[in-house]
Amino acid sequence: MTWIAIRMLTGDRQKFFGLLFGVAFSALLISQQLTIFINLIERGATAVYNIPTANIWVMDPVSRTPDVALPMPPTALDKVRSVNGVEWASPLLRSGATVRTPEGDLEGVTVVGVDDATLIGLPKKFIQGSREALYEPDAVIIDSVGAAKLFPEGFDPIGVRLELNDRRAVIRGIVDVDPSFTSQVILYTRYSNALAFVPGTRNRMSFVLASASDGLTAKQVTTRITEATGLKARTREEFARDGVDFIIENTGIPVNFGITVALGFIVGVAIVGLTFSLFIRDNIKQFGALKAIGVTNNKIRMMVAAQALLVGLVGYGIGILLAAIFIASGAANSPDFKGFYTPWEIPVLTAFVVMTMILITGWLALRSVLKTEPAEVFR
Amino acid sequence: MSEKRTAITINGIVKEFSAGSQMIRVLHGIDAEIRSGELTYLVGESGSGKTTMISIIAGILYPTDGSVSVFGQDIYSLSDNDLVRFRLSNIGFIFQQYNLIPTLTAAENASVPLVAAGMKRDEAVERGRAMLDKLNIADQADKLPRQLSGGQQQRVAIARALVHEPRLVVCDEPTAALDAKSGRRVMDLLREVALAPERTVIIVTHDNRIFDLADRILVMEDGRITHDGKEMPDH
């Protein structure tokens, strides 16, 4: 009877496409919004993951994220280096500044000062230039998204002079990193340069980056650092998670995206539910006739389930495909979407939501079919 | 006449419907026997109880009291599922509005009872096509119901009712939507294809244009059979 059920549904093109639209719209909205949400909040962790060499971050106990950090005195670096189990430790400075382009535009930037000697803290992947270029006078390395923001498309920024907090900075390279949550321009420079670019108080060092010695886990070493120095030490994964949690706890993003996802579900249920009910109502005589002829309620259930499953599968496929196209084209064409990806959990979650939608609407539709007495076909 | 055996035995059928707090009795203890090999008409005014009667005979409406035996089987002693299976194997339905599935072709519509019984699609559709051929509309087998005339749709409905070779065929106003000529042709077809010594056809109708084609006419009034004969009563 399955093929009869499918033909009953697909033959009524208007309702079939209406049902597909409802499911596809919901799947698109839910998966696209969830993808954007996940990628946005994960940007709270990009500053950590952009420095892959450091598996331990040490900071003042009140510091919370790479961008919400209280500077420490320079002695903190020696304290960390002296802890048994620390392979190496180097300073990192992160601070806000303003930059003026040659065209006179003003832009807020994040200055990242990396260890002069080892350049630990500098991203690995260069699009233009090299690590050594950072040893040139007033050299800064800009991130690719920042370069796209500051300069017109196709413009080569290498050698461009910037006015960074009233001091001269020269772009010597472009690195490929995932942008931060705020998508602010990032300028990497040597620690000593950064101190000059970003004047401030006595304490300037934002973090100490460190690595655990062989045979010890990062977690073990962070415990030792905290016990020995009183500073807060986090593994890379913990600190990345802290950045994500900070966005979740301190912004309205989860609520806003949650509302959109809920609306996607509600609108989907409304469209699919109404259209499915209309379809069943239009075919109620046929279902009654089938019951009279001798089609059991179980077979009727299978028929409605097959119809719901078809609509769910095709609608879900269309919705997920459209969402994937949207995200892929965004990631390819807009710096704001750089690095966006769809985690496997999102299609799975969307499938679960679509299945719930189909179960609710299918059940509502089925009720009226099962309630139909076969004798009604004679009335 | 002596060759005709009893196909259906109806014993003391009572049917009551609730209307709010009241119970309305629409059938008042009907007893009847319907013989095989006959075209039996159930005739009566609207509200006389003939639709309720045919529904009970066809096993799709439980009586309040009484029993119905179809070819020796007391159908209301069967479980729900067994009753459904009994209908599928033994009863063919022809509805007034045809109730064809609009998105299936004529041949596919005709094959529905076979598919419901578990036959493979291709085989079932082939048999549906063969039945349409018997009813002289094989050339319309691949058309959708909306592409067919009323008479052609009725033939498809007949094909669907007969394709699984049921022993009992129940028809609800089979000629109501047809002109006189088409109506008579449908009745001729029914007699030719559906009737056999071991089969019977019951037709609910108030179409006086076809009364002369009946083997037997049962007239119902106010939930009772008031006439049983070869022809309609004079009044």
Side-chain angles (χ1 to χ4, degrees):
Chain A
M1 295 300 287
T2 309
W3 67 268
I4 292 179
I6 300 299
R7 288 282 297 279
M8 282 174 81
L9 181 67
T10 55
D12 188 344
R13 283 170 191 267
Q14 210 176 359
K15 292 194 186 64
F16 180 56
F17 288 131
L19 287 166
L20 287 186
F21 172 79
V23 176
F25 172 77
S26 278
L28 167 66
L29 199 63
I30 291 166
S31 58
Q32 184 245 30
Q33 288 294 301
L34 281 177
T35 300
I36 293 175
F37 170 70
I38 293 294
N39 282 276
L40 266 187
I41 63 166
E42 281 194 352
R43 290 197 163 174
T46 52
V48 178
Y49 285 124
N50 283 337
I51 305 175
T53 42
N55 56 12
I56 294 168
W57 287 64
V58 185
M59 65 208 86
D60 186 277
V62 299
S63 296
R64 297 181 66 181
T65 74
D67 293 315
V68 184
L70 187 71
M72 299 177 288
T75 51
L77 178 61
D78 299 321
K79 283 184 184 175
V80 174
R81 280 178 173 158
S82 66
V83 174
N84 188 20
V86 172
E87 173 83 19
W88 53 257
S90 61
L92 187 83
L93 184 150
R94 278 182 73 92
S95 183
T98 49
V99 71
R100 200 155 72 176
T101 64
E103 288 74 33
D105 294 333
L106 198 65
E107 187 77 42
V109 299
T110 299
V111 174
V112 178
V114 302
D115 185 37
D116 282 53
T118 60
L119 299 185
I120 286 172
L122 191 62
K124 282 191 166 174
K125 198 172 169 190
F126 274 72
I127 294 170
Q128 273 187 274
S130 65
R131 292 165 63 82
E132 289 65 34
L134 212 50
Y135 290 111
E136 291 178 29
D138 302 324
V140 292
I141 307 283
I142 192 169
D143 72 301
S144 56
V145 174
K149 235 176 173 180
L150 276 187
F151 305 106
E153 200 179 339
F155 180 82
D156 182 5
I158 301 298
V160 170
R161 291 179 182 190
L162 301 171
E163 191 180 309
L164 180 57
N165 275 355
D166 207 25
R167 288 181 62 89
R168 190 184 83 129
V170 184
I171 297 175
R172 295 294 181 193
I174 303 174
V175 283
D176 182 21
V177 293
D178 287 335
S180 67
F181 176 67
T182 55
S183 291
Q184 209 169 34
V185 177
I186 306 171
L187 294 174
Y188 294 90
T189 186
R190 281 181 289 124
Y191 193 84
S192 55
N193 271 348
L195 293 175
F197 285 137
V198 191
T201 56
R202 236 172 354 117
N203 301 334
R204 312 279 291 284
M205 186 171 62
S206 311
F207 300 98
V208 174
L209 304 179
S211 179
S213 302
D214 287 347
L216 289 172
T217 63
K219 184 68 192 163
Q220 287 171 321
V221 177
T222 57
T223 308
R224 287 186 188 184
I225 291 171
T226 301
E227 283 170 358
T229 66
L231 295 169
K232 183 176 172 183
R234 306 286 279 163
T235 64
R236 183 172 54 216
E237 289 71 26
E238 286 171 343
F239 198 41
R241 181 72 215 180
D242 290 346
V244 171
D245 289 345
F246 185 84
I247 293 171
I248 292 173
E249 289 161 14
N250 293 280
T251 68
I253 289 175
V255 175
N256 285 326
F257 277 88
I259 288 170
T260 311
V261 169
L263 280 177
F265 177 73
I266 291 166
V267 171
V269 167
I271 295 175
V272 175
L274 272 174
T275 316
F276 215 1
S277 296
L278 277 176
F279 166 74
I280 293 294
R281 200 188 63 185
D282 286 354
N283 286 281
I284 203 75
K285 279 272 181 188
Q286 279 72 29
F287 277 114
L290 290 175
K291 289 176 80 167
I293 286 168
V295 177
T296 59
N297 274 344
N298 268 345
K299 280 187 179 160
I300 296 278
R301 282 189 193 97
M302 296 292 285
M303 289 177 75
V304 175
Q307 290 166 341
L309 194 67
L310 175 76
V311 166
L313 278 176
V314 178
Y316 168 78
I318 293 171
I320 288 290
L321 184 69
L322 289 177
I325 291 170
F326 176 88
I327 296 298
S329 101
N333 300 312
S334 166
D336 293 330
F337 284 89
K338 184 178 187 304
F340 267 35
Y341 72 106
T342 305
W344 64 266
E345 291 92 341
I346 288 177
V348 171
L349 184 70
T350 309
F352 177 75
V353 173
V354 166
M355 205 168 72
T356 308
M357 183 193 304
I358 289 299
L359 281 175
I360 291 172
T361 53
W363 176 73
L364 288 173
L366 187 63
R367 269 193 337 162
S368 59
V369 178
L370 294 182
K371 271 200 293 189
T372 303
E373 289 292 334
E376 283 177 29
V377 291
F378 279 143
R379 293 184 202 284
Chain B
M1 206 61 150
S2 58
E3 292 171 10
K4 292 176 180 171
R5 296 199 304 207
T6 300
I8 298 166
T9 308
I10 300 158
N11 278 324
I13 286 293
V14 172
K15 182 63 187 177
E16 292 176 343
F17 291 107
S18 62
S21 58
Q22 277 191 317
M23 292 302 285
I24 296 172
R25 181 169 287 202
V26 294
L27 296 180
H28 300 268
I30 290 179
D31 295 306
E33 283 190 349
I34 291 167
R35 291 181 290 271
S36 61
E38 281 188 354
L39 211 56
T40 304
Y41 283 17
L42 211 50
V43 178
E45 297 295 319
S46 291
S48 61
K50 60 185 189 301
T51 299
T52 304
M53 190 65 207
I54 193 88
S55 300
I56 290 172
I57 292 171
I60 57 175
L61 183 68
Y62 279 83
T64 307
D65 200 7
S67 66
V68 177
S69 172
V70 178
F71 294 103
Q73 174 65 57
D74 180 358
I75 58 174
Y76 291 108
S77 68
L78 295 170
S79 68
D80 285 352
N81 279 339
D82 286 343
L83 179 55
V84 172
R85 274 191 281 273
F86 183 84
R87 286 204 304 266
L88 185 57
S89 309
N90 296 284
I91 304 175
F93 291 85
I94 300 170
F95 308 106
Q96 184 178 352
Q97 298 300 324
Y98 320 133
N99 291 341
L100 300 173
I101 295 172
T103 52
L104 300 187
T105 64
E108 288 167 340
N109 263 295
S111 73
V112 164
L114 299 174
V115 176
M119 188 180 283
K120 282 185 179 169
R121 177 184 177 173
D122 291 345
E123 189 185 346
V125 174
E126 266 320 299
R127 285 187 48 183
R129 202 179 287 275
M131 183 52 73
L132 290 175
D133 189 28
K134 243 180 181 177
L135 295 168
N136 299 320
I137 51 164
D139 55 332
Q140 310 295 320
D142 295 320
K143 288 186 176 169
L144 295 173
R146 67 165 183 273
Q147 297 168 313
L148 303 175
S149 68
Q152 288 169 329
Q153 287 187 50
Q154 185 64 289
R155 288 188 196 204
V156 177
I158 293 171
R160 181 178 65 185
L162 302 179
V163 72
H164 53 310
E165 298 175 357
R167 289 191 287 173
L168 166 63
V169 177
V170 292
C171 317
D172 181 29
E173 305 281 6
T175 57
L178 304 176
D179 58 55
K181 198 175 160 191
S182 304
R184 291 190 78 83
R185 200 175 302 142
V186 163
M187 293 309 298
D188 288 341
L189 271 174
L190 267 176
R191 177 178 288 282
E192 185 187 322
V193 181
L195 271 187
E198 292 303 319
R199 297 159 108 185
T200 194
V201 179
I202 304 174
I203 296 168
V204 168
T205 186
H206 55 249
D207 185 354
N208 53 18
R209 298 172 301 180
I210 57 166
F211 284 166
D212 60 310
L213 300 174
D215 293 322
R216 186 179 173 201
I217 297 176
L218 300 175
V219 178
M220 290 190 71
E221 283 175 41
D222 296 328
R224 291 182 178 84
I225 292 174
T226 56
H227 171 82
D228 181 352
K230 172 84 173 82
E231 292 172 350
M232 282 293 282
D234 291 336
H235 61 83

